[in-house]
């Protein structure tokens, strides 16, 4: 038995896991958690890959003098409903994961969104489709933060950034799978499933198809089988056991890991296990206490921008390229290239983050995003498929590199008792940005300022994204604190050094009011108020709603962040 774990020798869970190194169990969990994110990514992206056909089936296209007139806000909302469900799922699922365990929550989430994706295949109108997108999104939103948290708790410290970000590559792989699956299915000339997919539809380009898109949502029910397999293949993390007062189970799990990883028949004395003290309170409002407000500001602001831009652009890339003159099939192919590049960026970002640090990596990523979006705005044009493919590869790489660079910071910002709560609420709030983005960008695109002789000037619309990119760069400089290279137990111990008397309840209530205000202005009004985007007050009000969270964090976290960066407390 190793001297580290001999009788009388104290140890932490992180030390034990670090001593095992990368091993067979690591790769098993890598595959299991990666599959969860592939299914997650497919479930999200399939609506963006099929929205052209959904719009035709649901009556969102009308014809005036032989020209198609689309309901941009309603089409944008097809993406929004799933994202709103993800907001709710992340908020509730994160708390449940910290209470009932990572394994149970992941199984529940996968079964949930698999079951409720199935009815979407039978949708005849937007209300039915939206209802089940919302419900299924609850499971998807619960799943993603659990995967991130599990990776952070089972991977050796020096490899943590690589595996956390690589895990997100699996989610983007699900986006690519959605594109690769949907394109041949939706464009098939004949019905694949007889009368079930046999109804004729006419898309905005004037081409006629049948409703083969329904098969894509039948495929989306496969996570039910995967969730059942998890019951037998996945184990709870020793970090969760230890933090919940179950040191015996944590020690037993470490023993099992040691045996499976070839480290020998090592016994772990639970009485010698050091567990960082739990915070006095672990409710959601504590994320806004003086102890955590800067960390919360760092990940909430940057991930909000990333979600806004990634989900907004993925919703409108096919429309953008169809407006330029490309076919529906070529437009989806270009979107798929954008997502394929995202996989490459997700694979790359972790290695760079572990070597140059979380903060520097994130700051550089936003600069790359600005360069990429400017190039796309200038050079995207008709009859230049190869050039557009290169531009989509660049843009997909840059934008997804930035959003994934935030991922390691999420679990590293909070102790085990509230790690998944913190991660999930960050992702849930950021999805307000994603939920609003498809609608807001659609509203912006319909404004007179962005209209040209041939329709919407999408090159001008996408150039607007330079504003949130620049804002994210400022937030990264101000709020992000370096966490790379430290064990989870070291980070947890550091978080207990400051005064814990403040519960963060007041700023938490303020932020929830801001979130509600944002939802009303950027989601409810465009969907409920007729002609909202064409009203003079619409854009200023929506911009205000999107900027208020940043103002909030500059006020509540700015002074502490400035002291942290310039007062010697690094």
């Amino acid at each position: 038995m190793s001297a580290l774990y001999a009788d009388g020798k104290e140890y932490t869970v992180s030390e034990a896991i670090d001593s095992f190194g990368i091993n067979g169990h690591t790769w098993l969990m890598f595959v299991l958690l990666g599959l969860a994110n592939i299914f997650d990514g497919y479930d999200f992206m399939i609506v963006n890959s099929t929205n052209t056909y959904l719009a035709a089936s649901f009556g969102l296209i009308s014809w005036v003098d032989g020209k198609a007139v689309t309901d941009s806000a309603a089409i944008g909302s097809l993406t929004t409903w799933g994202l709103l469900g993800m907001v709710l799922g992340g908020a509730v699922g994160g708390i449940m994961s910290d209470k009932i365990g990572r394994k149970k929550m992941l199984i529940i989430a996968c079964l949930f969104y698999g079951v409720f994706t199935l009815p979407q295949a039978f949708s005849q109108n937007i209300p039915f489709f939206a209802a089940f997108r919302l419900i299924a999104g609850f499971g998807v939103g619960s799943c993603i933060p659990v995967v991130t948290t599990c990776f952070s708790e089972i991977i050796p410290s020096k490899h943590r950034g690589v595996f956390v970000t690589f895990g997100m590559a699996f989610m983007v792989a699900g986006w690519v799978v959605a594109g690769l699956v949907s394109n041949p299915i939706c464009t098939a000339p004949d019905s694949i499933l007889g009368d079930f997919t046999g109804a004729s539809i006419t898309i905005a380009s004037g081409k006629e198809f049948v409703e083969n898109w329904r098969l894509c949502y039948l495929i989306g029910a496969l996570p039910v089988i995967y969730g059942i397999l998890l019951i037998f293949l996945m184990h709870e993390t020793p970090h969760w056991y230890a933090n919940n007062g179950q040191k015996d189970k944590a020690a037993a799990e470490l023993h099992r890991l040691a045996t499976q990883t070839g480290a020998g028949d090592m016994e772990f004395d639970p009485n010698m296990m050091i567990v960082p003290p739990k915070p006095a309170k672990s409710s959601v409002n504590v994320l806004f206490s003086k102890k955590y407000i800067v960390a919360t500001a760092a990940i909430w602001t940057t991930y909000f921008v990333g979600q806004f831009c990634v989900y907004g652009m993925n919703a409108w890339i096919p429309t953008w390229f169809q407006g330029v003159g490309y076919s529906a099939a070529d437009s989806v192919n270009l979107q798929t290239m954008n997502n394929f590049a995202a996989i490459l960026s997700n694979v790359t970002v972790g290695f760079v983050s572990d070597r140059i640090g979380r903060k520097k990596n994130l700051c550089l990523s936003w600069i790359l995003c600005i360069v990429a979006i400017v190039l796309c705005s200038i050079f995207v044009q008709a009859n230049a498929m190869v050039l557009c493919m290169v531009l989509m590869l660049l843009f997909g790489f840059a934008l997804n590199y930035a959003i994934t660079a935030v991922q390691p910071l999420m679990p590293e910002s909070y102790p085990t008792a509230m790690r998944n709560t913190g991660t999930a609420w960050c992702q849930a709030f950021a999805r307000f940005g994603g939920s609003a983005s498809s609608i807001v960008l659609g509203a912006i695109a319909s404004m007179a300022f962005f209209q040209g002789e041939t329709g919407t000037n999408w090159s001008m619309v996408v150039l607007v994204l330079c504003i949130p990119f620049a804002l994210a760069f400022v937030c990264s400089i101000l709020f992000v604190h370096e966490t790379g290279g430290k064990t989870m137990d070291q980070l947890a111990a550091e978080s207990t050094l400051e005064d814990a008397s403040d519960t963060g309840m007041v700023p938490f209530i303020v932020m929830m009011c801001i979130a509600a205000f944002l939802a009303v202005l950027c989601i409810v009004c465009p969907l409920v108020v007729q002609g909202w985007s064409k009203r003079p007050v619409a854009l200023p009000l929506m911009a205000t709603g999107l900027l208020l969270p940043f103002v909030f964090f500059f006020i509540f976290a700015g002074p502490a962040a400035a002291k942290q960066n310039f007062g010697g407390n690094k």
Side-chain angles (χ1 to χ4, degrees), residues 352-369:
V352 180
S353 181
D354 280 343
R355 281 160 178 76
I356 71 173
R358 314 296 195 231
K359 182 167 185 171
K360 185 184 296 184
N361 190 44
L362 188 56
C363 291
L364 291 174
S365 69
W366 296 120
I367 297 174
L368 179 61
C369 283

Side-chain angles (χ1 to χ4, degrees), residues 221-281:
L222 287 176
V224 173
I225 300 173
Y226 168 75
I228 295 172
L229 291 176
L230 283 179
I231 297 173
F232 304 99
L233 296 177
M234 186 175 176
H235 292 265
E236 186 55 74
T237 70
H239 271 288
W240 186 84
Y241 278 138
N243 188 74
N244 282 270
Q246 302 179 56
K247 287 186 177 182
D248 289 343
K249 289 186 178 181
E253 182 63 16
L254 290 175
H255 171 74
R256 187 189 68 82
L257 291 176
T259 302
Q260 290 193 352
T261 58
D265 188 17
M266 303 168 63
E267 296 295 335
F268 294 83
D269 186 351
N271 296 318
M272 294 294 103
M273 185 183 296
I274 300 174
V275 179
K278 297 174 66 172
K281 295 182 180 294

Side-chain angles (χ1 to χ4, degrees), residues 8 51 80 89 107 142 161 201 223 255 292 335 351 407 445 479 490 505 538 561:
N51 61 9
T80 297
I107 292 170
S142 300
I201 54 175
H255 171 74
Y292 300 114
Q335 181 188 54
F351 290 99
Q407 286 286 336
F479 296 125
Q490 284 177 321
M505 182 58 74

Side-chain angles (χ1 to χ4, degrees), residues 14-15 18 152 155-164 349-359 361 408-409 411-413 481-492 494:
S14 290
E15 287 174 336
D18 285 354
S152 72
I155 303 300
S157 302
K158 66 179 181 179
H159 302 293
R160 191 172 59 239
V162 172
F163 276 83
V164 169
V349 64
F351 290 99
V352 180
S353 181
D354 280 343
R355 281 160 178 76
I356 71 173
R358 314 296 195 231
K359 182 167 185 171
N361 190 44
L409 289 167
E412 293 172 349
S413 298
H481 179 65
E482 188 56 60
T483 57
K486 300 177 181 178
T487 71
M488 301 308 288
D489 291 319
Q490 284 177 321
L491 293 168
E494 287 179 3

Side-chain angles (χ1 to χ4, degrees), residues 545-557:
L546 291 169
L547 289 173
L548 274 179
F550 297 90
V551 174
F552 166 88
F553 281 118
F554 284 134
I555 293 173
F556 283 93

Side-chain angles (χ1 to χ4, degrees), residues 216-336:
C216 298
Y217 293 87
L218 294 179
I219 294 171
L222 287 176
V224 173
I225 300 173
Y226 168 75
I228 295 172
L229 291 176
L230 283 179
I231 297 173
F232 304 99
L233 296 177
M234 186 175 176
H235 292 265
E236 186 55 74
T237 70
H239 271 288
W240 186 84
Y241 278 138
N243 188 74
N244 282 270
Q246 302 179 56
K247 287 186 177 182
D248 289 343
K249 289 186 178 181
E253 182 63 16
L254 290 175
H255 171 74
R256 187 189 68 82
L257 291 176
T259 302
Q260 290 193 352
T261 58
D265 188 17
M266 303 168 63
E267 296 295 335
F268 294 83
D269 186 351
N271 296 318
M272 294 294 103
M273 185 183 296
I274 300 174
V275 179
K278 297 174 66 172
K281 295 182 180 294
S282 57
S283 52
V284 178
N285 54 283
V286 177
L287 302 177
F288 295 85
S289 65
K290 293 177 182 177
K291 187 191 300 185
Y292 300 114
I293 186 67
V294 175
T296 299
I299 60 178
W300 280 44
T301 56
T302 54
Y303 208 61
F304 181 91
V305 168
Q307 292 268 314
F308 181 90
C309 298
V310 166
Y311 288 138
M313 286 309 302
N314 267 308
W316 288 106
I317 281 176
T319 303
W320 175 15
F321 283 102
Q322 288 178 56
V324 172
Y326 292 95
S327 68
D330 283 343
S331 299
V332 172
N333 284 334
L334 286 166
Q335 181 188 54
T336 302

Side-chain angles (χ1 to χ4, degrees), residues 41-115:
Y42 178 93
D43 187 271
F44 165 75
M45 188 54 63
I46 197 62
V47 70
N48 291 333
S49 298
T50 60
N51 61 9
T52 296
Y53 309 94
L54 292 171
S57 290
F58 296 160
L60 304 182
I61 303 173
S62 57
W63 300 87
V64 178
D65 297 328
K67 294 183 179 180
V69 178
T70 59
D71 188 338
S72 297
I75 294 175
S77 75
L78 294 173
T79 299
T80 297
W81 300 113
L83 285 169
L84 287 176
M86 292 166 71
V87 170
L88 299 173
V92 176
I95 297 172
M96 288 179 62
S97 172
D98 284 334
K99 300 296 183 184
I100 69 174
R102 317 308 189 204
K103 176 182 177 178
K104 290 179 182 178
M105 192 63 240
L106 185 59
I107 292 170
I108 292 171
C110 291
L111 293 174
F112 196 89
Y113 74 77
V115 168

